[in-house]
């Protein structure tokens, strides 16, 4: 199926690169390419075999030479969108690409909407919705684990799992309907018993899938992490150690990290969305005060809080605001007993003492206390391990697991569970098979929303609008 108009967009990232690609999709894609591209070996691009890389030149309408290029034509349905697709690969300069793109518009192409190529692939049945969504996840993956999770979905593993569940539901419906149609055959009880067992199994399967949603979402969006601690505790040093580069400013002057720095980093395959925040202490300086307040709100909302304590000094009342803040945090807490290179020699503060103090100050949910030296690097491995354990709880293997990573998918699964609960209640109430079938049909339809088989157009548009242009 070809859409009524041909779209065009720059498919490569903005900026300079060795190669840049303008991609066209739709009925007029080849005609448009023909107008701007001349094969070096002569003739027209349509004379050449499809899917062959043809070298040539791009000329503007007035005959001016624009660039050298490789042109590849992919004929429908053997293309990403299942429509005629042309890729014009020229030099990756922003001006070259913009001029070429503008020319394709003048020749009749329309600017592609965000995600429109993938949307066409979806509408033409080349990808289902979970696969289409995983295309974006693949592009945006920040770690190998995140990429692996996306790859599984791109290959259709989530769709397969959903498909199996829906198939099961249809099987139960078929049996129930047979027992309605042939009441004399005495299969009624068997069908109802089977339905009860299957509904329970399906409920468990949906639950399992839903359990992967939190990890899936973390892999996709990053674990929102806040580093907090008193000024000079070593927050910036820890951030630098974790990032492996001098990203934050490290100084001896208390209160120099006044604003928050946000950074993605990869820790043992898990993307952390990290905020290094201003040191927490009472201050009269207005700018610093704003920074401190920001730190408080970051920490309260973060999924993971790394609380840095300067272990080379005994704990004092000045630490109370930190304990107070930690007692208000909703995420998991890892306390870093920092400067262990100094404190161990002098034996100032141990992890156990910190743990006891935390308990005394009513800070619950301390996942672990780790002895670390932000300066020399010891303890970093333990920190990585702790974070990994915390996210996966030792359960999930991204390479093998099917994972849900999207709030919409998780929401549908939750609704499907409710519908299965309802089916169970109908079964228990002894109502006739017709009612069970109605409930099961709703669950079947609901699950179909994940793969996009039963979904409104508005929702589909909304999903693709989150894509980047050119994809
Ligand atoms: P922040 O204010 O919490 O961000 O602290 P900084 O990271 O700027 O560190 C404050 C001071 O403590 C600097 O002089 C660091 O070099 C020092 N520091 C940080 N971590 C360590 C550590 O593990 N060992 C030692 N000996 N000094 C550290």
């Amino acid at each position: 199926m070809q859409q009524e108009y041909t779209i065009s967009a720059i498919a490569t990232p903005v900026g300079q690169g060795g190669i840049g690609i303008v991609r066209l999709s739709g009925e007029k894609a080849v005609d448009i390419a023909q107008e701007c591209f001349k094969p070096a070996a002569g003739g027209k691009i349509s004379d050449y075999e499809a899917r062959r890389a043809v070298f040539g030149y791009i000329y503007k309408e007035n005959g001016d030479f624009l660039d050298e290029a490789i042109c590849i034509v992919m004929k429908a349905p053997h293309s990403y969108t299942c429509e005629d697709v042309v890729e014009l690969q020229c030099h990756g300069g922003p001006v070259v690409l913009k001029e070429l793109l503008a020319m394709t518009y003048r020749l009749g192409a329309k600017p592609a909407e965000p995600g429109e190529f993938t949307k066409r692939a979806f509408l033409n049945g080349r990808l289902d919705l979970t696969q289409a969504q995983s295309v974006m996840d693949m592009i945006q993956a920040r770690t190998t684990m995140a990429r692996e999770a996306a790859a599984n979905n791109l290959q259709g593993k989530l769709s397969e799992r959903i498909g199996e569940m829906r198939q099961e539901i249809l099987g139960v419906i078929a049996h129930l309907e047979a027992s309605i149609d042939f009441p004399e055959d005495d299969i009624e009880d068997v069908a109802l018993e089977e339905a009860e067992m299957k509904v329970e199994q399906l409920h468990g399967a949906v639950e399992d899938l839903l359990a992967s949603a939190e990890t899936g979402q973390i892999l996709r969006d990053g674990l929102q992490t806040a580093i907090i601690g008193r000024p000079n505790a070593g927050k910036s040093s820890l951030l630098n150690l974790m990032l492996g580069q001098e990203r934050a400013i490290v100084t001896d002057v208390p209160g120099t990290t006044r604003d928050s720095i946000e950074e993605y980093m990869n820790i043992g395959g898990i993307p952390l969305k990290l905020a290094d925040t201003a040191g927490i202490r009472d201050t009269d300086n207005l700018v610093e005060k704003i920074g401190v307040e920001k730190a408080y709100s970051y920490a309260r909302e973060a999924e993971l809080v790394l609380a840095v304590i300067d272990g080379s000094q005994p704990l004092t009342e000045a630490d109370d605001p930190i304990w107070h803040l930690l007692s208000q945090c909703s995420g998991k807490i890892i306390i870093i007993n920092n400067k262990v290179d100094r404190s161990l020699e002098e034996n100032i503060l141990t992890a156990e003492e910190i743990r006891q103090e935390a308990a005394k100050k009513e800070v619950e949910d301390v996942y672990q206390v780790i002895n670390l030296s932000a300066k020399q690097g010891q303890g970093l491995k333990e920190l990585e391990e702790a974070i990994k354990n915390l996210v996966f709880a030792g359960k999930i293997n991204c390479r093998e697991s099917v994972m849900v990573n999207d709030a919409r998918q998780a929401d549908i699964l939750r609704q499907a569970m409710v519908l299965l609960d309802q089916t169970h209640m109908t079964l228990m109430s002894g109502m006739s098979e017709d009612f069970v079938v109605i409930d099961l049909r709703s669950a079947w339809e609901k699950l179909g929303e994940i793969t996009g088989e039963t979904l409104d157009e508005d929702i589909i548009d909304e999903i693709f609008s989150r894509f980047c242009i050119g994809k």
Side-chain angles (χ1 to χ4, degrees):
M1 178 176 74
Q2 305 251 9
Q3 300 290 315
E4 74 260 44
Y5 54 89
T6 298
I7 49 171
S8 172
I10 299 170
T12 38
V14 187
Q16 301 176 352
I19 294 170
I21 300 176
V22 169
R23 177 161 61 171
L24 293 142
S25 179
E27 238 166 21
K28 288 206 282 182
V30 180
D31 290 346
I32 292 170
Q34 196 127 283
E35 291 293 316
C36 48
F37 177 82
K38 304 286 167 249
K44 294 187 281 185
I45 188 65
S46 55
D47 301 335
Y48 289 77
E49 211 184 315
R51 284 189 280 168
R52 192 173 140 189
V54 178
F55 174 69
Y57 310 102
I58 296 171
Y59 292 99
K60 292 181 134 181
E61 296 96 319
N62 62 5
D64 281 356
F65 172 75
L66 181 63
D67 198 5
E68 295 179 337
I70 298 258
C71 178
I72 304 174
V73 173
M74 286 154 271
K75 295 291 283 179
H78 305 291
S79 72
Y80 183 65
T81 57
C82 294
E83 301 176 332
D84 284 352
V85 167
V86 177
E87 280 185 14
L88 288 162
Q89 310 183 349
C90 53
H91 290 110
V95 178
V96 180
L97 288 166
K98 254 193 208 156
E99 286 190 33
L100 175 56
L101 182 69
M103 186 159 45
T104 64
Y105 294 163
R106 289 195 299 272
L107 293 168
K110 274 197 175 187
E113 302 277 334
E116 196 169 358
F117 290 93
T118 310
K119 185 178 168 188
R120 289 184 175 202
F122 165 71
L123 291 174
N124 290 327
R126 206 183 83 77
L127 299 169
D128 71 27
L129 205 52
T130 67
Q131 290 174 311
Q133 286 187 279
S134 67
V135 168
M136 242 6 245
D137 297 339
M138 196 80 159
I139 292 171
Q140 290 170 347
R142 293 187 178 90
T143 69
T144 299
M145 266 193 212
R147 204 268 309 143
E148 282 172 354
N152 276 341
N153 285 359
L154 182 62
Q155 288 177 306
K157 291 194 184 164
L158 176 59
S159 322
E160 244 170 62
R161 180 71 60 85
I162 299 291
E164 285 161 11
M165 290 178 185
R166 297 182 82 214
Q167 208 50 45
E168 291 260 331
I169 297 179
L170 282 186
V172 180
I173 291 177
H175 272 184
L176 287 170
E177 282 178 340
S179 78
I180 299 167
D181 292 343
F182 306 101
E184 64 279 5
D185 285 358
D186 226 22
I187 53 173
E188 186 183 331
D189 290 347
V190 182
L192 282 172
E193 250 170 55
E194 183 206 62
E196 203 184 316
M197 190 187 74
K198 283 272 157 77
V199 166
E200 203 167 303
Q201 278 173 3
L202 280 162
H203 196 277
V206 174
E207 214 165 12
D208 285 349
L209 211 47
L210 199 52
S212 73
E214 199 179 330
T215 308
Q217 181 263 323
I218 289 170
L219 284 180
R220 200 191 61 177
D221 301 333
L223 182 69
Q224 197 169 331
T225 307
I227 300 183
I228 64 156
R230 287 173 55 193
N232 271 335
K235 299 177 295 301
S236 307
S237 306
L238 175 69
L239 179 68
N240 288 342
L241 176 73
M242 292 165 81
L243 286 168
Q245 64 192 38
E246 290 287 311
R247 172 67 176 77
I249 313 146
V250 183
T251 62
D252 281 329
V253 189
T256 40
T257 312
R258 287 194 173 159
D259 205 351
S260 302
I261 301 174
E262 250 189 20
E263 187 89 41
Y264 280 96
M265 59 168 297
N266 173 352
I267 198 145
I270 297 157
L272 297 196
K273 192 170 157 195
L274 214 67
D276 176 32
T277 50
I280 289 165
R281 61 166 184 178
D282 286 332
T283 173
D284 293 329
N285 178 306
L286 189 66
V287 179
E288 200 182 328
K289 222 172 186 152
I290 295 170
V292 171
E293 271 159 30
K294 232 179 179 174
Y296 269 86
S297 67
Y298 254 121
R300 280 194 209 101
E301 287 159 26
E303 292 166 291
L304 170 66
V305 180
L306 298 175
V308 185
I309 285 181
D310 181 347
S312 69
Q313 293 176 19
L315 292 168
T316 67
E317 273 175 15
D319 294 297
D320 283 350
I322 296 290
W323 298 122
H324 181 63
L325 172 59
L326 287 178
S327 69
Q328 298 174 348
C329 291
S330 53
K332 289 277 193 302
I333 297 165
I334 292 178
I335 300 181
I336 309 290
N337 182 20
N338 191 34
K339 309 197 187 179
V340 80
D341 53 298
R342 259 156 69 184
S343 62
L344 272 193
E345 283 165 26
E346 299 159 33
N347 197 15
I348 296 176
L349 206 55
T350 66
E352 191 43 42
E353 279 163 346
I354 291 178
R355 206 176 252 292
Q356 283 169 9
E357 185 71 9
K360 221 190 291 171
K361 303 283 180 181
E362 291 174 4
V363 180
E364 285 141 22
D365 243 359
V366 175
Y367 186 73
Q368 208 167 320
V369 182
I370 291 168
N371 291 324
L372 186 136
S373 166
K375 205 168 196 171
Q376 297 183 352
Q378 63 266 43
L380 182 62
K381 272 267 157 301
E382 284 86 338
L383 177 60
E384 281 189 11
E385 277 309 306
I387 294 173
K388 258 202 300 204
N389 290 340
L390 198 147
V391 171
F392 290 110
K395 271 186 286 189
I396 291 167
N397 175 343
C398 299
R399 206 171 296 189
E400 286 157 20
S401 300
V402 174
M403 230 184 269
V404 172
N405 68 355
D406 173 86
R408 185 191 75 90
Q409 293 168 348
D411 193 45
I412 294 169
L413 288 174
R414 262 179 233 113
Q415 293 179 45
M417 289 232 290
V418 171
L419 291 167
L420 288 169
D421 282 337
Q422 193 174 315
T423 315
H424 182 77
M425 272 168 10
T426 309
L427 277 162
M428 292 297 111
S429 70
M431 282 202 253
S432 91
E433 289 89 338
D434 299 281
F435 292 100
V436 183
V437 167
I438 290 170
D439 287 347
L440 281 171
R441 274 210 189 282
S442 319
W444 178 82
E445 267 182 28
K446 187 47 76 184
L447 285 172
E449 289 181 15
I450 291 187
T451 45
E453 277 157 87
T454 51
L455 201 59
D456 285 350
E457 209 166 305
D458 293 354
I459 299 175
I460 291 171
D461 285 346
E462 211 273 309
I463 289 169
F464 284 102
S465 70
R466 284 180 254 150
F467 276 49
C468 51
I469 289 185
K471 192 57 231 176

